[in-house]
Amino acid sequence: MFGSNLDEFIRLALEEDVGDGDHTSLATIPPDATGRARLLVKEAGILAGVQVAVRIFAQVDPDLSIEILRSDGAAIQPGDVVLTVAGRAQSILKAERLVLNVMQRMSGIATYTRSLVNLLDGLPTKLLDTRKTTPNFRICEKMATVIGGAVNHRYALYDQILIKDNHVDYAGGIEAALTKANDYLRATNRDLLIEIEVRNLAELDEVLGTAETQRVDRIMLDNFDLENLREAVRRVAGRYPTEASGGITETTLRAYAECG
């Protein structure tokens, strides 16, 4: 998922920052000048973005020499050195800001994600991420949530069918939406996971009632309170994976996860 997309992200990010050249460095630093830099940690947290940084340096200048001292997912403290890079000074300065921007944001996401994952410790529950990402930075944010211990949900609109309330209403109801989704996959010869969102127990019962005729891979229980979430999980009885979404806070996260 991340390979070629990541390289394209780096290319566009460098194009945005460098344009037709780092004219300050070109004007003041001889082209053959060399240097060495180190990436120093200033706050405690979970490290993320090391492998992205390596690919940024490589795209800027494949002759740069990088020594990795801390890996993605490592717990870090102020004063830790994550990596060192040596080579042409102009190249190091060209890559520096993009590397820092990416690693700072990714590490912040990974750190917060890990704190939420820790709240679920010991429970048979996974923390999922969403499509609610920063435009054109999704690839790094999705990588960061995995580094923090979460699981990627769908990456984009193209890799899963997720039938939400809008789709249900436009399609004419739960059964109609599921029928259309299954028909579409057959007609286009696609093999995509089908997930459907339900807003209440009545809609859940409609989904469960289609079990014999329509394929469903996962049910999202949207904005259910704890009492109704417990009842929903009881009715599903393990027949489908369930996903709770909406209205869940750090304070209530474990209580929701304990519902099953």
Side-chain angles (χ1 to χ4, degrees), residues 7-189:
D7 290 333
E8 179 66 2
F9 159 75
I10 293 170
R11 185 188 71 78
L12 292 172
L14 288 169
E15 183 178 288
E16 174 186 60
D17 195 37
V18 179
D20 67 351
D22 173 8
H23 298 300
T24 309
S25 294
L26 292 170
T28 61
I29 300 174
D32 59 350
T34 60
R36 183 180 183 86
R38 60 177 186 165
L39 196 154
L40 188 68
V41 174
K42 293 187 177 181
E43 291 186 36
I46 300 301
L47 181 63
V50 175
Q51 293 306 312
V52 180
V54 169
R55 290 172 80 151
I56 292 170
F57 285 125
Q59 196 167 136
V60 168
D61 184 347
D63 291 329
L64 289 174
S65 176
I66 305 158
E67 182 182 8
I68 299 174
L69 304 174
R70 297 286 190 279
S71 299
D72 285 328
I76 50 176
Q77 296 294 328
D80 288 347
V81 177
V82 172
L83 58 80
T84 63
V85 57
R88 292 178 66 240
Q90 288 185 358
S91 297
I92 293 173
L93 291 172
K94 184 186 292 186
E96 172 195 32
R97 177 46 53 192
L98 179 56
V99 166
L100 291 174
N101 286 349
V102 167
M103 293 196 66
Q104 287 169 346
R105 186 165 181 81
M106 286 184 67
S107 295
I109 292 169
T111 299
Y112 183 59
T113 301
R114 182 68 59 84
S115 71
L116 298 179
V117 169
N118 287 343
L119 294 175
L120 302 176
D121 186 47
L123 297 176
T125 305
K126 297 176 182 178
L127 182 69
L128 303 177
D129 60 18
T130 75
R131 276 177 53 241
K132 299 172 184 177
T133 56
T134 307
N136 298 323
F137 201 66
R138 177 175 299 177
I139 188 167
C140 293
E141 292 177 344
K142 287 279 191 176
M143 291 175 71
T145 58
V146 171
I147 290 169
V151 175
N152 287 152
H153 200 274
R154 61 174 175 167
Y155 183 78
L157 291 171
Y158 58 76
D159 63 341
Q160 179 181 320
I161 287 185
L162 175 48
I163 304 170
K164 297 179 70 66
D165 52 359
N166 295 325
H167 306 105
V168 168
D169 293 342
Y170 276 111
I174 294 282
E175 185 171 5
L178 286 172
T179 299
K180 290 176 185 293
N182 279 278
D183 288 347
Y184 173 81
L185 291 183
R186 284 190 291 269
T188 59
N189 197 32

Side-chain angles (χ1 to χ4, degrees), residues 132-256:
K132 299 172 184 177
T133 56
T134 307
N136 298 323
F137 201 66
R138 177 175 299 177
I139 188 167
C140 293
E141 292 177 344
K142 287 279 191 176
M143 291 175 71
T145 58
V146 171
I147 290 169
V151 175
N152 287 152
H153 200 274
R154 61 174 175 167
Y155 183 78
L157 291 171
Y158 58 76
D159 63 341
Q160 179 181 320
I161 287 185
L162 175 48
I163 304 170
K164 297 179 70 66
D165 52 359
N166 295 325
H167 306 105
V168 168
D169 293 342
Y170 276 111
I174 294 282
E175 185 171 5
L178 286 172
T179 299
K180 290 176 185 293
N182 279 278
D183 288 347
Y184 173 81
L185 291 183
R186 284 190 291 269
T188 59
N189 197 32
R190 284 179 166 84
D191 183 19
L192 301 176
L193 181 147
I194 297 177
E195 178 173 356
I196 187 164
E197 172 188 276
V198 297
R199 294 166 282 192
N200 49 57
L201 292 172
E203 288 190 345
L204 174 62
D205 287 341
E206 285 187 63
V207 173
L208 297 177
T210 69
E212 298 298 321
T213 59
Q214 301 298 335
R215 173 186 153 203
V216 177
D217 298 297
R218 182 186 293 171
I219 299 174
M220 178 190 292
L221 308 168
D222 190 49
N223 287 305
F224 278 51
D225 61 26
L226 282 170
E227 180 181 351
N228 283 321
L229 189 68
R230 291 190 183 97
E231 175 59 21
V233 171
R234 187 193 68 78
R235 294 186 189 186
V236 172
R239 286 175 285 175
Y240 303 97
T242 55
E243 175 185 329
S245 177
I248 303 172
T249 67
E250 291 180 40
T251 303
T252 62
L253 178 62
R254 188 173 178 89
Y256 271 87

